[in-house]
Amino acid sequence: MVLSAAGIRFPIWAQAGTSVAGAARLLLGVDYYPDQTPEALWEEDSRMMAEVGFTNVRIAEFAWALMEPAEGKFDFAWLRRAVEILHKHNISVILGTPSAAPPPWLMVRYPDVVEVNAQGERLHPGGRRFTCPTNQVYRRLSLSIANAMAREFADTTGVIGWQIDNELTLSSSQRCYCNFCQAGFQAWLRSKYGSLDNLNKSWGTVFWSQTYTDFSQIPVPLPSGGDPNPGLALDYDRYQSYANVSFQEEQLVMLRKTCPHHFVTTNNVGLPLDTIDLRSLYEKLDFVAFDNYPGFFEMLLHQEANGPISPDTIPANIALGHDFARSIKGGKPFMIMEEQSGKAGQRTFSPQPEKGQVRLWTHQAVAHGAMGVNYFRWDTATFGAEEYWHGILNHDRSKSPGYVEIKQAVGELKALGPEVLNSNYAADAALVFDYDCSWAVKIQPGHHALSYMAQVTSWYGAISASHTGIDVIAPGADLAPYKIVFAPVVYVLSEAQASKIKSFVQGGGMFVTNFRLGVKTESSQIVRTPLPGPLRDVMGVTVADYVPIYSAKQGVKFSSAFAGPDGQCGIWADILQPSGAEVLGSYTSGEHAGEAAITMNSFGKGKAVYIGADLDAGSLSRVLRTLSAMSGVKQPFDVPPGVELTLRKSGDKQWIFLLNHTSVAQTVSIPKPLTDLLTKEAYSGTIELRGYGVRVLS
Ligand SMILES: [Zn+2]
C-alpha cells in the first residue's frame, strides 16, 4: 500500500495481494545464469533457492547470443524452460534485456556500432558496454531483441518485471566520441539553443576563433591541441547522459506497451560514478535499482589510496550510495539488484567479507530505504571474465561462507515484513549532489587535486557520523522539508537554484556551503558579478580573492562556536570579506592572516554558512557536526564510533537500525526500553552488538 501511495506501479502479482513463495510484495532474490549452467542443474538450483527463501531471480541480461543466434532468428525455448522450472519452485523472474553485450555476429555485420573513446580510438568487441548510445543501428537491434523477449514473455506466469540493459553507468571510456554521437550532439544543440547565435553567445565561441556558422561544424571534445570550450564540454557531458537515457527509454516505451502488468527498472552502480544523470534515467521507471559491492569498492580504494583507509570510509560511501538511490525518486523505496555475497573481482579478488558482513550490508541497504535485495550471484562461474566473482555456491557448488548469512538475512527480512521494507526513511538534513557541478569541475578543476565527488563524499562522511538522516538531493529540489542543507562546491549555480536557497534561508533553514560558490552560470561562463554571484546577499560576504594552495601552508583558527585546535587548509582558500556575516574562522598565515575563512550570516529567519577553506577531515567533521546540532537536527541517542544508527518510519511507528561496522562487540546505551524485532529480545539501559552485528529495534 505504501508503494502504491508513493506512485510505484505494482505488478499484477502484488496488486492482487497474491504471494510469491509465501512472501507477498517482497523481492528477496538472486541473480541467476541458466544460460551459463547445465540444464540438468536448473531443477536442483531452483529447489535450493527456494530453501534459502528466495522469492525471485533476475536472469538473461547477458544472454543475447543464445536468444538471437542470428539476426532476426530468435530462440527462447531454453529460457522458457528455465522460467517454468523456477516458477514450479515459486521463484518469480525479472528478465534483463541484453543490450549491454551484443553477440559476435552483430559486431561483424555492424562494426560501426562500437564506441570511440576520449582519445578518438575505437574500442573492440570482446568485453561489454563497448557500444555507442547514439548509434541508430545498435538502438534498432537492441530494441528488436528486447521486443521479441517482451512478446514471448508478456503473459508467462512467473515473470514479474524487467531490468533494461545492465549498468549503463559503468563503461571503460564513459563517453562515446564517434561520428554518430557528433551528429546526435549537433541535433541536440539545435534543439537546445534554437539558433547558432544563441549557441555562439552561450559558449563564448569568439574566443580562439570558434564562431560556428553551421551546426555541422560543431566538434566533439576530442584532443585538438588545446582544451575544449568549457561550455561545449559541459554540454557534451549533458548530451552523452541524454543519449543513454533516450537509449533506455526506447526499450521502456516498448515494454510499457507490450508488458503492462510488469514493473520496469534498470540497475546501476551509483555514486561515485557520475557518467549518467540518474535522476533523468529513472524518471519514468517504476523504482530505482542499484548494485552494491562494498568489498569491491574497498579493493578499488586500496588500489587508489596513498595511505590507510579510515574504517568509516567504506560504510559511509555505501550509505551515500543508498541515500542517493532512495532520494532519486523522492524517497520511494529502492531495490538492490546485485548485492555482494562473497569475494568479488575480475583480475583480483576483493577482501573476503568477514563473518557477519554480508548480512550487515543487507540490513544497511534496508535501513537506508531498500525494499528488496537480490544477491549476486547464485553459483560462481568457472569460465569467463567474472570467474573471481563469488556467488552463493562456490566453483564446486558447495555452499559459500555467505550462504548461511544470506539465508538468515532473507528470513529476517521476511519476518520484518512489507511494512518495514516499504516505510519511509527519516531525514532532517539534505546534501546537494549536482551533475553539472561534478562535470564542470572535472572539465576545469581549478586545482589538480580538487574533485567534486571527493568533496561530496567527505561532507557526507562528516555529516553521517552524527547519525543525522540525510537525503541526497538535486540542486533544484524543494528544500523546505529540511532543517539544514549542505552543498559543497556549488561551482555552477543557476538563478533559479539561488532563489530556492534564498527562500529556504529566509524561511528559517540553515544553508552550509564552501569555496567556489556561484562561480559559473549554467552555460559554464564565469559570472561578471563579485563572488559568490547571486548568493552574495544570502551569504553576507564577498569573496575578496580566491587562492589555490600548492606549497605555501595555510591554517584556520576557529571561533568558540567550533572550539578546537587550529585546522589545516588543504588545496583552496576563498578569502571572505564579511558584509554583515559573523566570522567563525580566520586564516593564520601569510598575507591573508587574520582574514575571514568561515562566516555565518543571519538572513531572514535562517542562517547561511560559508566555509571558504578546504578544511582537513577532522576540522570539517567538527564544523559540520556542530552546525547540524545548531540547526536543531536530533538523533534518537548516541552510539559509539563505527556503529551506525538509522531510522525508518511509517505513521507513528519507527524502526531503529543499529549497525556495527566494526569487528568488535559494542555496547550502546539506550534511553528507553526497546525490543529487537529480529530476536524478539527486550532491552533496557544498554544493548550489545557483536562484531558486524545488527539490531532492528522498535
Ligand atoms: Zn557514439
Side-chain angles (χ1 to χ4, degrees):
M1 289 312 105
V2 176
L3 275 186
S4 53
I8 293 179
R9 210 160 49 93
F10 278 126
I12 278 288
W13 61 266
Q15 285 168 355
T18 52
S19 92
V20 177
R25 301 189 184 111
L26 296 182
L27 290 168
L28 301 169
V30 67
D31 305 306
Y32 183 44
Y33 295 88
D35 45 318
Q36 301 168 18
T37 308
E39 190 162 343
L41 294 172
W42 294 356
E43 185 83 38
E44 179 180 277
D45 282 341
S46 303
R47 181 181 53 74
M48 290 175 73
M49 287 176 200
E51 279 171 12
V52 176
F54 288 137
T55 60
N56 64 278
V57 291
R58 181 213 51 195
I59 59 176
E61 82 280 8
F62 284 114
W64 192 341
L66 289 188
M67 294 189 288
E68 190 179 6
E71 186 173 356
K73 184 169 171 279
F74 300 105
D75 176 9
F76 297 114
W78 67 272
L79 186 54
R80 179 165 290 285
R81 291 197 298 278
V83 170
E84 283 169 0
I85 290 173
L86 287 157
H87 179 64
K88 197 169 84 181
H89 292 272
N90 280 327
I91 307 286
S92 302
V93 171
I94 301 168
L95 288 170
T97 69
S99 39
W105 61 256
L106 191 156
M107 303 317 302
V108 170
R109 190 158 181 194
Y110 305 104
D112 283 355
V113 305
V114 173
E115 187 171 280
V116 171
N117 70 15
Q119 286 70 49
E121 302 156 347
R122 193 165 280 277
L123 299 192
H124 302 278
R128 59 186 247 190
R129 187 98 278 126
F130 52 80
T131 53
C132 165
T134 306
N135 187 285
Q136 294 301 315
V137 171
Y138 194 63
R139 284 176 170 229
R140 174 173 62 76
L141 293 163
S142 297
L143 188 58
S144 168
I145 176 66
N147 186 41
M149 286 178 83
R151 291 161 72 99
E152 176 74 19
F153 292 102
D155 299 313
T156 299
T157 308
V159 174
I160 57 171
W162 294 84
Q163 170 191 299
I164 294 175
D165 204 282
N166 184 79
E167 294 178 343
L168 281 157
T169 49
L170 194 59
S171 70
S172 60
S173 42
Q174 305 194 352
R175 299 276 179 255
C176 180
Y177 299 83
C178 77
N179 292 339
F180 300 103
C181 282
Q182 183 176 8
F185 181 45
Q186 290 164 352
W188 182 83
L189 292 169
R190 190 189 292 271
S191 161
K192 175 173 178 177
Y193 290 100
S195 74
L196 280 169
D197 194 37
N198 273 347
L199 178 144
N200 282 320
K201 276 192 190 134
S202 180
W203 289 356
T205 53
V206 69
F207 189 82
W208 279 356
S209 186
Q210 291 167 346
T211 305
Y212 299 106
T213 55
D214 192 295
F215 277 96
S216 67
Q217 297 161 356
I218 298 169
V220 296
L222 281 166
S224 67
D227 285 322
N229 178 294
L232 179 149
L234 181 56
D235 268 339
Y236 199 66
D237 282 321
R238 292 167 174 152
Y239 167 71
Q240 283 284 308
S241 178
Y242 158 81
N244 279 283
V245 172
S246 68
F247 173 85
Q248 172 198 253
E249 284 185 353
E250 287 185 355
Q251 295 187 39
L252 175 61
V253 167
M254 179 277 298
L255 286 168
R256 289 279 187 238
K257 205 165 135 189
T258 311
C259 303
H261 302 313
H262 295 162
F263 64 75
V264 187
T265 186
T266 185
N267 63 324
N268 273 296
V269 178
L271 303 180
L273 278 181
D274 66 349
T275 48
I276 300 171
D277 178 346
L278 293 181
R279 297 182 181 112
S280 299
L281 191 75
Y282 284 100
E283 190 182 346
K284 295 171 188 163
L285 294 167
D286 288 310
F287 53 82
V288 171
F290 257 47
D291 298 344
N292 186 42
Y293 291 101
F296 187 66
F297 181 68
E298 182 179 349
M299 181 185 74
L300 294 180
L301 275 189
H302 278 296
Q303 287 170 358
E304 290 169 8
N306 295 321
I309 298 167
S310 146
D312 296 332
T313 300
I314 307 297
N317 272 276
I318 299 307
L320 168 62
H322 294 326
D323 283 349
F324 183 50
R326 183 195 64 254
S327 302
I328 284 172
K329 286 181 91 71
K332 289 179 187 173
F334 62 96
M335 179 183 179
I336 300 291
M337 192 62 91
E338 300 181 7
E339 175 68 61
Q340 184 169 348
S341 63
K343 291 184 286 286
Q346 313 278 54
R347 297 184 186 184
T348 55
F349 292 107
S350 75
Q352 172 80 41
E354 294 193 46
K355 194 170 164 31
Q357 270 192 312
V358 173
R359 173 174 170 262
L360 175 71
W361 295 334
T362 303
H363 282 285
Q364 188 188 22
V366 170
H368 285 268
M371 62 172 175
V373 180
N374 261 26
Y375 295 89
F376 190 85
R377 50 183 271 172
W378 175 245
D379 54 349
T380 308
T382 55
F383 46 78
E386 294 187 351
E387 292 167 350
Y388 284 5
W389 217 287
H390 270 258
I392 296 172
L393 301 186
N394 294 315
H395 290 111
D396 62 3
R397 290 183 61 81
S398 58
K399 291 170 183 169
S400 75
Y403 177 94
V404 173
E405 283 181 43
I406 288 168
K407 189 171 180 179
Q408 181 186 353
V410 166
E412 288 168 345
L413 294 180
K414 282 186 175 180
L416 286 176
E419 191 181 10
V420 180
L421 296 182
N422 295 325
S423 61
N424 299 313
Y425 175 88
D428 281 339
L431 176 70
V432 175
F433 172 76
D434 182 9
Y435 283 96
D436 273 359
C437 287
S438 189
W439 295 333
V441 169
K442 267 187 192 166
I443 293 163
Q444 293 170 292
H447 187 293
H448 68 277
L450 178 58
S451 153
Y452 178 80
M453 200 60 76
Q455 290 284 321
V456 166
T457 52
S458 65
W459 275 51
Y460 180 91
I463 307 157
S464 66
S466 64
H467 310 289
T468 304
I470 308 167
D471 284 344
V472 181
I473 61 170
D478 179 16
L479 307 180
Y482 306 105
K483 290 190 169 80
I484 186 165
V485 171
F486 299 93
V489 195
V490 186
Y491 181 54
V492 179
L493 177 69
S494 71
E495 292 287 346
Q497 290 160 17
S499 155
K500 284 205 166 174
I501 292 164
K502 196 178 223 174
S503 304
F504 171 67
V505 179
Q506 238 159 2
M510 182 182 278
F511 179 72
V512 184
T513 185
N514 67 347
F515 50 89
R516 305 306 275 150
L517 172 64
V519 173
K520 287 216 159 188
T521 67
E522 290 163 288
S523 305
S524 204
Q525 290 200 16
I526 291 182
V527 296
R528 286 183 181 272
T529 52
L531 296 179
L535 285 178
R536 268 172 84 204
D537 54 348
V538 180
M539 305 312 298
V541 295
T542 298
V543 177
D545 203 355
Y546 50 86
V547 182
I549 296 175
Y550 293 93
S551 52
K553 293 265 187 290
Q554 182 59 276
V556 175
K557 187 171 192 58
F558 297 99
S559 73
S560 57
F562 302 129
D566 286 1
Q568 295 296 312
C569 178
I571 59 171
W572 200 272
D574 274 1
I575 313 301
L576 307 177
Q577 190 180 328
S579 50
E582 183 187 353
V583 178
L584 299 181
S586 48
Y587 293 109
T588 58
S589 327
E591 62 175 301
H592 297 296
E595 294 190 66
I598 305 173
T599 58
M600 177 185 282
N601 192 41
S602 294
F603 186 82
K605 296 179 192 163
K607 306 271 186 198
V609 180
Y610 198 123
I611 303 172
D614 172 40
L615 292 175
D616 64 274
S619 301
L620 180 70
S621 179
R622 195 174 74 243
V623 166
L624 297 189
R625 291 174 69 164
T626 304
L627 292 169
S628 283
M630 286 167 72
S631 76
V633 164
K634 284 196 181 73
Q635 62 199 72
F637 46 87
D638 288 325
V639 292
V643 175
E644 184 182 343
L645 185 158
T646 303
L647 273 184
R648 288 188 77 170
K649 288 182 178 173
S650 176
D652 295 339
K653 293 186 182 174
Q654 73 171 25
W655 296 270
I656 300 169
F657 284 74
L658 285 184
L659 308 158
N660 182 6
H661 292 286
T662 72
S663 60
V664 298
Q666 302 272 3
T667 303
V668 178
S669 297
I670 51 175
K672 60 173 186 178
L674 292 166
T675 301
D676 184 346
L677 299 176
L678 303 178
T679 62
K680 310 297 179 203
E681 291 166 298
Y683 293 90
S684 60
T686 60
I687 190 163
E688 298 288 325
L689 282 157
R690 64 171 173 74
Y692 302 113
V694 175
R695 301 278 188 196
V696 183
L697 303 164
S698 186

